PDB file of all heavy atoms in Angstrom:
ATOM      1  N   PHE A  69     107.238  94.602  93.426  1.00  0.00           N
ATOM      2  CA  PHE A  69     108.535  95.279  93.361  1.00  0.00           C
ATOM      3  C   PHE A  69     109.039  95.489  94.645  1.00  0.00           C
ATOM      4  O   PHE A  69     110.399  95.263  94.866  1.00  0.00           O
ATOM      5  CB  PHE A  69     108.237  96.658  92.549  1.00  0.00           C
ATOM      6  CG  PHE A  69     109.523  97.497  92.492  1.00  0.00           C
ATOM      7  CD1 PHE A  69     110.083  97.628  91.207  1.00  0.00           C
ATOM      8  CD2 PHE A  69     110.104  98.168  93.534  1.00  0.00           C
ATOM      9  CE1 PHE A  69     111.197  98.346  90.918  1.00  0.00           C
ATOM     10  CE2 PHE A  69     111.224  99.032  93.241  1.00  0.00           C
ATOM     11  CZ  PHE A  69     111.797  99.076  92.049  1.00  0.00           C
ATOM     12  N   ALA A  70     108.322  95.899  95.681  1.00  0.00           N
ATOM     13  CA  ALA A  70     108.843  96.092  96.990  1.00  0.00           C
ATOM     14  C   ALA A  70     109.056  94.907  97.844  1.00  0.00           C
ATOM     15  O   ALA A  70     109.673  94.944  98.883  1.00  0.00           O
ATOM     16  CB  ALA A  70     107.852  97.042  97.688  1.00  0.00           C
ATOM     17  N   SER A  71     108.533  93.720  97.375  1.00  0.00           N
ATOM     18  CA  SER A  71     108.661  92.452  98.086  1.00  0.00           C
ATOM     19  C   SER A  71     110.151  91.969  98.155  1.00  0.00           C
ATOM     20  O   SER A  71     111.009  92.468  97.315  1.00  0.00           O
ATOM     21  CB  SER A  71     107.785  91.503  97.578  1.00  0.00           C
ATOM     22  OG  SER A  71     108.222  90.938  96.319  1.00  0.00           O
ATOM     23  N   ASP A  72     110.301  90.928  98.783  1.00  0.00           N
ATOM     24  CA  ASP A  72     111.581  90.193  98.768  1.00  0.00           C
ATOM     25  C   ASP A  72     111.777  89.103  97.727  1.00  0.00           C
ATOM     26  O   ASP A  72     112.887  88.539  97.627  1.00  0.00           O
ATOM     27  CB  ASP A  72     111.909  89.622 100.210  1.00  0.00           C
ATOM     28  CG  ASP A  72     112.000  90.644 101.435  1.00  0.00           C
ATOM     29  OD1 ASP A  72     112.464  91.737 101.100  1.00  0.00           O
ATOM     30  OD2 ASP A  72     111.750  90.187 102.476  1.00  0.00           O
ATOM     31  N   LEU A  73     110.793  88.930  97.013  1.00  0.00           N
ATOM     32  CA  LEU A  73     110.706  87.971  95.885  1.00  0.00           C
ATOM     33  C   LEU A  73     111.657  88.370  94.833  1.00  0.00           C
ATOM     34  O   LEU A  73     111.717  89.584  94.464  1.00  0.00           O
ATOM     35  CB  LEU A  73     109.331  87.830  95.422  1.00  0.00           C
ATOM     36  CG  LEU A  73     108.989  86.521  94.708  1.00  0.00           C
ATOM     37  CD1 LEU A  73     109.190  85.344  95.747  1.00  0.00           C
ATOM     38  CD2 LEU A  73     107.558  86.381  94.326  1.00  0.00           C
ATOM     39  N   GLN A  74     112.351  87.512  94.271  1.00  0.00           N
ATOM     40  CA  GLN A  74     113.404  87.927  93.277  1.00  0.00           C
ATOM     41  C   GLN A  74     113.096  87.236  91.966  1.00  0.00           C
ATOM     42  O   GLN A  74     112.530  86.055  91.982  1.00  0.00           O
ATOM     43  CB  GLN A  74     114.878  87.604  93.647  1.00  0.00           C
ATOM     44  CG  GLN A  74     115.348  88.318  94.850  1.00  0.00           C
ATOM     45  CD  GLN A  74     115.280  89.846  94.697  1.00  0.00           C
ATOM     46  OE1 GLN A  74     115.886  90.307  93.549  1.00  0.00           O
ATOM     47  NE2 GLN A  74     114.981  90.571  95.613  1.00  0.00           N
ATOM     48  N   SER A  75     113.374  87.821  90.727  1.00  0.00           N
ATOM     49  CA  SER A  75     113.048  87.259  89.419  1.00  0.00           C
ATOM     50  C   SER A  75     113.832  85.864  89.384  1.00  0.00           C
ATOM     51  O   SER A  75     113.443  84.989  88.612  1.00  0.00           O
ATOM     52  CB  SER A  75     113.269  88.231  88.351  1.00  0.00           C
ATOM     53  OG  SER A  75     114.669  88.594  88.337  1.00  0.00           O
ATOM     54  N   SER A  76     115.106  85.851  90.006  1.00  0.00           N
ATOM     55  CA  SER A  76     115.937  84.689  89.728  1.00  0.00           C
ATOM     56  C   SER A  76     115.429  83.488  90.509  1.00  0.00           C
ATOM     57  O   SER A  76     115.804  82.418  90.133  1.00  0.00           O
ATOM     58  CB  SER A  76     117.295  85.078  90.346  1.00  0.00           C
ATOM     59  OG  SER A  76     117.177  85.351  91.793  1.00  0.00           O
ATOM     60  N   GLN A  77     114.363  83.650  91.432  1.00  0.00           N
ATOM     61  CA  GLN A  77     113.673  82.621  92.139  1.00  0.00           C
ATOM     62  C   GLN A  77     112.620  81.890  91.137  1.00  0.00           C
ATOM     63  O   GLN A  77     112.125  80.873  91.562  1.00  0.00           O
ATOM     64  CB  GLN A  77     113.099  83.037  93.401  1.00  0.00           C
ATOM     65  CG  GLN A  77     113.977  83.645  94.458  1.00  0.00           C
ATOM     66  CD  GLN A  77     113.387  84.244  95.489  1.00  0.00           C
ATOM     67  OE1 GLN A  77     112.513  85.231  95.341  1.00  0.00           O
ATOM     68  NE2 GLN A  77     113.573  83.670  96.632  1.00  0.00           N
ATOM     69  N   SER A  78     112.231  82.522  90.081  1.00  0.00           N
ATOM     70  CA  SER A  78     111.313  81.979  89.162  1.00  0.00           C
ATOM     71  C   SER A  78     110.023  81.662  89.818  1.00  0.00           C
ATOM     72  O   SER A  78     109.565  80.526  89.822  1.00  0.00           O
ATOM     73  CB  SER A  78     111.831  80.754  88.282  1.00  0.00           C
ATOM     74  OG  SER A  78     112.987  81.125  87.596  1.00  0.00           O
ATOM     75  N   PRO A  79     109.410  82.652  90.535  1.00  0.00           N
ATOM     76  CA  PRO A  79     108.263  82.383  91.372  1.00  0.00           C
ATOM     77  C   PRO A  79     107.089  82.070  90.461  1.00  0.00           C
ATOM     78  O   PRO A  79     106.884  82.408  89.323  1.00  0.00           O
ATOM     79  CB  PRO A  79     108.060  83.719  92.030  1.00  0.00           C
ATOM     80  CG  PRO A  79     108.584  84.747  91.120  1.00  0.00           C
ATOM     81  CD  PRO A  79     109.754  84.049  90.484  1.00  0.00           C
ATOM     82  N   VAL A  80     106.172  81.145  91.027  1.00  0.00           N
ATOM     83  CA  VAL A  80     104.928  80.858  90.457  1.00  0.00           C
ATOM     84  C   VAL A  80     103.773  81.573  91.060  1.00  0.00           C
ATOM     85  O   VAL A  80     104.047  82.376  91.971  1.00  0.00           O
ATOM     86  CB  VAL A  80     104.660  79.312  90.503  1.00  0.00           C
ATOM     87  CG1 VAL A  80     105.651  78.483  89.743  1.00  0.00           C
ATOM     88  CG2 VAL A  80     104.582  78.944  91.879  1.00  0.00           C
ATOM     89  N   GLY A  81     102.552  81.509  90.455  1.00  0.00           N
ATOM     90  CA  GLY A  81     101.460  82.289  90.798  1.00  0.00           C
ATOM     91  C   GLY A  81     101.177  82.432  92.270  1.00  0.00           C
ATOM     92  O   GLY A  81     100.944  83.493  92.777  1.00  0.00           O
ATOM     93  N   GLY A  82     101.147  81.264  93.032  1.00  0.00           N
ATOM     94  CA  GLY A  82     100.815  81.318  94.416  1.00  0.00           C
ATOM     95  C   GLY A  82     102.001  82.065  95.149  1.00  0.00           C
ATOM     96  O   GLY A  82     101.609  82.740  96.138  1.00  0.00           O
ATOM     97  N   GLU A  83     103.105  81.950  94.792  1.00  0.00           N
ATOM     98  CA  GLU A  83     104.266  82.716  95.513  1.00  0.00           C
ATOM     99  C   GLU A  83     104.126  84.161  95.150  1.00  0.00           C
ATOM    100  O   GLU A  83     104.350  85.006  96.115  1.00  0.00           O
ATOM    101  CB  GLU A  83     105.637  82.201  94.952  1.00  0.00           C
ATOM    102  CG  GLU A  83     105.855  80.793  95.414  1.00  0.00           C
ATOM    103  CD  GLU A  83     107.009  80.268  94.762  1.00  0.00           C
ATOM    104  OE1 GLU A  83     107.214  80.370  93.510  1.00  0.00           O
ATOM    105  OE2 GLU A  83     107.987  79.760  95.378  1.00  0.00           O
ATOM    106  N   ILE A  84     103.688  84.558  94.001  1.00  0.00           N
ATOM    107  CA  ILE A  84     103.608  85.936  93.564  1.00  0.00           C
ATOM    108  C   ILE A  84     102.359  86.559  94.457  1.00  0.00           C
ATOM    109  O   ILE A  84     102.454  87.636  95.032  1.00  0.00           O
ATOM    110  CB  ILE A  84     103.404  86.029  92.112  1.00  0.00           C
ATOM    111  CG1 ILE A  84     104.738  85.858  91.508  1.00  0.00           C
ATOM    112  CG2 ILE A  84     102.914  87.531  91.718  1.00  0.00           C
ATOM    113  CD1 ILE A  84     104.597  85.666  89.995  1.00  0.00           C
TER     114      ILE A  84
END
Side-chain angles (χ1 to χ4, degrees):
F69 181 103
S71 76
D72 294 331
L73 206 57
Q74 299 297 314
S75 61
S76 61
Q77 295 171 302
S78 301
V80 293
E83 294 169 310
I84 291 168

